[in-house]
Amino acid sequence: MSKTQWIIVRDWLSTDPRHYQIAVLSTLILLGVFHFGFELPWWHVVGCVGSTLTTQALADKVLGRPFDLRSPLISALSLTILLRTGSVTLSIAAGVLAISSKYILRWNGKHIFNPANFGLVVLSTLFSAAWISPGQWGQAPFFALLLLSLGGVVTGKAKRWDVSLALLGSYAVLVFARALWLGDPMTIPVHQMQSGALLIFAFFMISDPKTTPDARGGRLIYAPIVAIIGFTIQFGFYNSAGIILGLILTAPFVPLIDRVFKNHQYVWPRHKSSETNPASNINKETNHASFIPAE
């Protein structure tokens, strides 16, 4: 590979936040299998990945759009991490539901629900043989620090670190206030804030730039609402997946928030070389590839 080609590939990989998210989610799956000892059947992985990519490919073909595997792959990896079922049919159904939702349930050119969140909640609600498994990640301090570091990189690239921090800050206020109210030792809320599932949710689900409010002001209002509803479901209704349920319940309010706090919709960065001759995209002064925003 020539130096010019290497520069283009390097910049292409480093510019789009989806590349970081795919790398981190894949690493988490490997950690889950080899470090935490998750029982992750191969057919579940193949079912989630195959159904999401196939659904996206078919929908793009119908709409006459170029197929891009990155977004559906992120949804597939999220489903692989959080969904548990003993049926390959349900694994496939989760992927189909997730991707279909972003083509069908739209408002003002923006899909309403996070695809993986939609597939998880709908499938676990309709079928007793499918469930969300947030407790499998435990509350290890080292793992929490690792997630904070990796999640910070991903949300920083997507410019959505604000919603992640607002969610975690709001949730922390609630769990510490609950501990003070009940007279519990502070080690309990500290332990709760180290939840691997909570951190995965904060950095890899609610931070989806395509489904969060467009403006920072809207995101700083939206995140505490998700935290309050998720906290209520978890501790008022004793459902450990409360924060995941909180996201799908509050997602329909995002269009309303966008009407109040206006800003441009997020677009994934698109490398200029995908449309033209790669060699022509090298800036002769900086020796770096250039990028244009996706439409």
Side-chain angles (χ1 to χ4, degrees), residues 132-155:
I132 303 170
S133 182
Q136 62 186 336
W137 294 97
Q139 280 94 9
F142 169 75
F143 187 59
L145 287 173
L146 178 65
L147 283 175
L148 282 170
S149 303
L150 297 176
V153 172
V154 172
T155 55

Side-chain angles (χ1 to χ4, degrees), residues 200-214:
I200 289 173
F201 173 84
F203 288 110
F204 303 104
M205 189 168 283
I206 193 178
S207 58
D208 175 10
K210 303 295 283 186
T211 54
T212 50
D214 298 325

Side-chain angles (χ1 to χ4, degrees), residues 15 267-276 281 290-295:
T15 298
V267 290
W268 298 116
R270 190 170 60 190
H271 199 284
K272 199 171 182 178
S273 64
S274 63
E275 297 186 343
T276 58
N281 296 317
S290 57
F291 296 84
I292 58 175
E295 295 177 353

